[in-house]
Amino acid sequence: MTTQSEAIAADLEAIRANYSLTDEQRQIVDHVDRVSREVLHPLQARMDEEEWWPDDLFKQMGELGLLGITAPEELGGSGQNEFTQALVSELIAKWNPAVGLSHGAHDNLCLNNLLRNGSQEQVKKYVPGLCSGDLVGALGLTEPGAGSDALGSMATTARRDGDDYVINGSKIYITNGPIADVILLYAKTDKSKGAKGISAFIIETDNPGFKVAQKLDKMGFRGSPTGELVFEDCRVPASAMVGQENTGVSVVMSGLDLERAMVASVCVGMAERALELGLEYAKIREQFGKPIASFQMMQSKLAEIYTEVETARAFGYRALAACTGLPKGAGGRGEIHKLTAAACLYAGEAFNKAVTEACHIHGGSGYMQDTEINRLYRANKLLEIGAGTSEVRKIIIAEELLRA
């Protein structure tokens, strides 16, 4: 019989195996941290002020090795797993949240989903360009009338017409939508089946019938292009379908589990930056003749932020370890569904607490829009809405607990 001490030792060994970085991973992390700090961080202020995205930034990220993290090396990627991809996302978001948001939509929601679910022909056609940044990717799921009930309320349709499908409908709040070259799109191919009548397509945005209806002006993550997309008799070949007809739900759900684990990492990166900014300011800001860092109330805030960051990191890494190597078609149910929802829920709320306290440490300067802590503060709300709201995350957790 296994003793309690032996069980604990086994758990600790599993944690070390899952969370410790290999030498190769450490090299990647160090590289991403450096280029994100030196190249992406200086872009932050202008991106926020002007809702500006540099035209060549995806190509530059491709050249810097920031794209195609999970793609095979023969297709132009890094050949790493989802855990490493999350570490990359964490660091990019830390130094430039807007770039982190667009990077996640491109590299995970589009590229990684295509790798997992696309045909060999689709992967060969699109993945090299997505890895180099010559192509920009996006995911089209949310609609004006379909948010938390994205699958059940989906109104976009794809009607079979000979060797083609004709798509009609609209998508909204689509990250990278205004600049995307390819979109992993979900549409109903059989309305009578409800959510089980959804299919996935890879859409090239130069197709007739596609247009960007508007670029949206956001509160946070400004600079990351977000738009409303319209499909009016947009004709695509049947070969554009990802997977089989009416099996889009499995593509969505398996992708959502990994997305939530990735969002948790983004929260950790941004919360870590909030801690750094709060700590730096507390050391240099003087009141009553000494740095405010010397006051116990400020020390308490810093300690609480640190605890939130590291707890969210540990929880998020556990979820990522469970997602790494997830078989095709797996996810969207069971333990992994519960775990990723919980990690995402906790990390989103932890970042909210961390950035609120860090902003408070800055006092009046934290309320000024041109400060970095203010940009982080304005960005935090999205992370309790995107990838399923906090309420939806709680519903998932409860349903899985009650189903057990």
Side-chain angles (χ1 to χ4, degrees):
M1 178 179 292
T2 302
T3 65
Q4 184 178 19
S5 60
E6 289 173 336
I8 292 172
D11 286 344
L12 288 173
E13 185 60 33
I15 289 171
R16 293 190 187 99
N18 284 330
Y19 304 160
S20 297
L21 301 185
T22 65
D23 290 341
E24 185 177 16
Q25 285 175 320
R26 174 54 59 190
Q27 289 176 357
I28 291 172
V29 165
D30 290 344
H31 169 73
V32 174
D33 184 57
R34 178 180 60 80
V35 299
S36 297
R37 184 176 64 252
E38 295 176 358
V39 178
L40 303 180
H41 187 247
L43 301 174
Q44 198 185 116
R46 183 183 171 189
M47 291 178 71
D48 180 76
E49 183 178 354
E50 302 177 12
E51 268 278 20
W52 167 71
W53 180 269
D55 291 338
D56 63 346
L57 188 52
F58 267 104
K59 289 185 179 180
Q60 190 175 9
M61 285 196 286
E63 292 168 358
L64 291 169
L66 302 182
L67 303 180
I69 304 302
T70 58
E73 292 182 13
E74 59 268 25
L75 293 176
S78 300
Q80 298 295 314
N81 61 22
E82 292 85 355
F83 195 100
T84 306
Q85 184 183 38
L87 296 176
V88 171
S89 296
E90 179 182 314
L91 288 167
I92 293 175
K94 173 182 177 179
W95 292 109
N96 192 316
V99 176
L101 185 67
S102 282
H103 177 272
H106 172 97
D107 219 54
N108 181 40
L109 300 186
C110 183
L111 193 160
N112 196 48
N113 268 330
L114 187 60
L115 269 176
R116 286 171 55 84
N117 299 285
S119 66
Q120 290 184 350
E121 292 76 15
Q122 290 168 337
V123 168
K124 185 177 180 180
K125 180 177 181 180
Y126 295 110
V127 168
L130 291 167
C131 289
S132 67
D134 290 324
L135 297 177
V136 177
L139 177 96
L141 177 62
T142 303
E143 297 183 2
S148 293
D149 186 25
L151 302 179
S153 299
M154 186 178 294
T156 299
T157 61
R159 174 179 55 84
R160 185 70 185 249
D161 183 25
D163 293 331
D164 299 329
Y165 282 88
V166 180
I167 300 173
N168 283 281
S170 63
K171 301 291 180 178
I172 201 165
Y173 311 135
I174 305 304
T175 302
N176 295 344
I179 62 171
D181 299 294
V182 292
I183 300 170
L184 182 59
L185 180 83
Y186 296 94
K188 282 193 174 174
T189 41
D190 189 339
K191 291 190 285 186
S192 68
K193 294 182 178 180
K196 294 184 178 180
I198 292 172
S199 299
F201 298 86
I202 188 78
I203 307 295
E204 298 178 11
T205 58
D206 58 0
N207 273 12
F210 169 85
K211 68 178 181 180
V212 178
Q214 61 174 323
K215 181 183 176 184
L216 300 170
D217 190 14
K218 304 185 300 301
M219 176 173 75
F221 289 100
R222 292 173 58 79
S224 173
T226 307
E228 180 181 8
L229 313 180
V230 173
F231 302 83
E232 297 175 338
D233 292 329
C234 181
R235 185 176 292 271
V236 299
S239 60
M241 181 175 286
V242 177
Q244 301 300 311
E245 189 173 78
N246 300 329
T247 62
V249 169
S250 65
V251 179
V252 172
M253 298 310 292
S254 64
L256 272 175
D257 284 336
L258 181 56
E259 180 186 2
R260 291 188 178 116
M262 293 286 182
V263 168
S265 289
V266 167
C267 290
V268 168
M270 294 173 67
E272 185 174 64
R273 184 59 180 158
L275 173 60
E276 290 177 356
L277 292 170
L279 184 59
E280 290 169 7
Y281 189 82
K283 288 178 178 179
I284 63 173
R285 173 65 169 171
E286 292 191 0
Q287 288 291 280
F288 306 101
K290 53 185 176 181
I292 63 173
S294 65
F295 299 121
Q296 287 185 339
M297 281 190 176
M298 289 298 159
Q299 293 172 6
S300 175
K301 289 182 184 297
L302 292 168
E304 289 172 358
I305 296 171
Y306 172 80
T307 302
E308 293 288 356
V309 172
E310 292 306 321
T311 306
R313 190 194 310 276
F315 199 171
Y317 283 6
R318 183 187 170 200
L320 283 165
C323 286
T324 299
L326 195 67
K328 180 178 178 180
R333 60 190 179 279
E335 181 65 23
I336 188 70
H337 203 40
K338 176 178 63 178
L339 181 61
T340 55
C344 192
L345 171 67
Y346 187 87
E349 294 182 349
F351 174 46
N352 191 327
K353 294 175 187 175
V355 75
T356 298
E357 292 288 21
C359 190
H360 199 76
I361 289 171
H362 282 73
S365 67
Y367 198 65
M368 300 298 105
Q369 285 201 169
D370 62 348
T371 60
E372 186 174 356
I373 192 65
N374 186 275
R375 291 193 285 272
L376 285 170
Y377 185 80
R378 283 184 279 116
N380 96 84
K381 180 46 63 179
L382 176 62
L383 298 171
E384 294 182 305
I385 296 174
T389 64
S390 294
E391 292 77 12
V392 167
R393 297 167 196 174
K394 291 176 181 178
I395 290 170
I396 291 169
I397 296 164
E399 286 180 344
E400 293 300 333
L401 285 171
L402 293 169
R403 185 177 289 123

